[in-house]
Amino acid sequence: MLIVHSIAELRAALAGRGRPAFVPTMGNLHAGHLSLVQLARQHGDVTVASIFVNRLQFLPHEDFDSYPRTWDADCSQLQAAGCDVLFAPREADLYPEPQTFKVQPDPALADMLEGHFRPGFFTGVCTVVMKLFSAVFASTGGGTAVFGKKDYQQLMVIQRMVQQFALPITIVAGETARAQGGLALSSRNGYLSAEQLQQATALSQALRQLADAARHGRMPLADLETQVQGLLRAQGWAPDYLTVRQRSDLQIPSVSALGSDPLVALGAAKLGSTRLIDNLEF
Ligand code: PAF
């Protein structure tokens, strides 16, 4: 696996190697990331991963400084997973000057749910992803990028960005990898104590409960959402949201849509000081 740091080195490394399949990450890799790399290998001529902890998508009180940086382990895992090129820009490679141009996502999609609780998050994500896309794909005429469904709203925002800017990039979605008990794998699971790791399975269980009850129209959706949030709260969580949305646009479904339309239950909640997110398509 070739490791490059600057955009120029990356473009030189990709020259003549066909269409890249790209997996952007912030490092601290786990089996979920590696499954995205495996998926990428089926979708391109050369598999590229990036590791960059993107300052722009963290709020001042969030964990940018303490975000786990596990360079050696990440490199060996990527190598073993069959990644061909690792792009690991330094801050000055991606942000050589203050990033005053930003990619502002559609507020109808980006200002709710995660964007409501983490204002500016999706602007930071879109801005860095646009730069990463430019670094990887500008000299190759396009390719494929792989994003995990674990960050469901992020995946949708990126899909819309690619579509609206007519970028020559196909977005492929990877399924969420889960630990035993259903906990979605996440770099932030590393912040949890052994006891909290046991408790953390309650989030995916609550989403399952919410999805089942919503499908069967047991009570008005808003009441169901309040009820499952209450159940989590009783177990020591501080939920931001647990909600059912249309898969197409993340808007609130109509009563008739609850019976059979493609829906997704999304949740975000804090366990101690660790904020976890998860979702369930149904
Ligand atoms: O999902 C992530 O790890 C990040 O949001 C991404 C897409 C790498 C952008 O920094």
Side-chain angles (χ1 to χ4, degrees):
M1 180 176 75
L2 189 63
I3 300 176
V4 293
H5 300 287
S6 72
I7 294 177
E9 282 172 321
L10 174 66
R11 290 183 178 156
L14 295 180
R17 295 189 68 174
R19 290 172 74 76
F22 173 48
V23 184
T25 83
M26 297 206 299
N28 192 232
L29 303 182
H30 50 67
H33 295 110
L34 301 175
S35 71
L36 301 182
V37 173
Q38 305 287 0
L39 188 57
R41 290 179 64 193
Q42 301 161 30
H43 288 273
D45 302 311
V46 55
T47 305
V48 183
S50 65
I51 295 180
F52 181 69
V53 185
N54 173 39
R55 186 184 288 282
L56 289 190
Q57 70 192 72
F58 288 79
L59 287 169
H61 67 271
E62 292 183 338
D63 54 345
F64 174 77
D65 289 327
S66 58
Y67 197 84
R69 285 145 172 101
T70 47
W71 173 252
D72 290 338
D74 290 351
C75 288
S76 358
Q77 291 191 86
L78 283 173
Q79 167 106 43
C83 177
D84 298 309
V85 179
L86 168 58
F87 177 43
R90 295 148 296 210
E91 186 113 352
D93 291 307
L94 277 198
Y95 301 131
E97 56 188 73
Q99 184 66 32
T100 48
F101 283 76
K102 303 261 168 71
V103 180
Q104 195 67 55
D106 180 353
L109 186 58
D111 284 4
M112 62 170 120
L113 306 172
E114 283 306 284
H116 175 75
F117 288 95
R118 304 181 70 189
F121 170 69
F122 286 116
T123 301
V125 168
C126 288
T127 302
V128 80
V129 169
M130 188 64 104
K131 284 197 103 156
L132 292 168
F133 281 177
S134 153
V136 176
F137 297 115
S139 60
T140 67
T144 298
V146 180
F147 287 82
K149 284 191 189 175
K150 155 83 175 18
D151 296 293
Y152 203 87
Q153 191 179 4
Q154 168 175 282
L155 168 66
M156 290 192 66
V157 168
I158 299 295
Q159 279 169 331
R160 289 284 293 141
M161 178 181 88
V162 164
Q163 184 199 341
Q164 275 212 351
F165 285 108
L167 301 178
I169 298 166
T170 304
I171 301 296
V172 170
E175 294 301 326
T176 302
R178 294 182 183 277
Q180 259 192 347
L183 173 64
L185 297 190
S186 160
S187 299
R188 290 190 169 100
N189 291 353
Y191 297 145
L192 301 172
S193 67
E195 192 191 334
Q196 286 175 324
L197 273 172
Q198 301 288 326
Q199 282 176 276
T201 55
L203 181 57
S204 62
Q205 287 160 9
L207 290 171
R208 163 60 60 202
Q209 232 176 313
L210 176 59
D212 288 347
R215 199 50 112 195
H216 295 102
R218 294 216 183 96
M219 59 170 85
L221 192 50
D223 294 348
L224 280 176
E225 293 174 353
T226 308
Q227 192 181 61
V228 285
Q229 288 185 34
L231 290 175
L232 273 189
R233 216 170 266 118
Q235 295 173 59
W237 293 74
D240 281 345
Y241 59 85
L242 269 90
T243 184
V244 169
R245 298 298 171 100
Q246 303 180 152
R247 270 193 239 171
S248 55
D249 55 7
L250 297 186
Q251 294 297 317
I252 297 169
S254 64
V255 174
S256 64
L258 287 177
S260 58
D261 280 17
L263 301 173
V264 56
L266 303 121
K270 265 190 169 176
L271 189 55
S273 55
T274 305
R275 186 172 183 279
L276 300 177
I277 63 170
D278 199 357
N279 64 79
L280 176 73
E281 288 179 325
F282 65 101

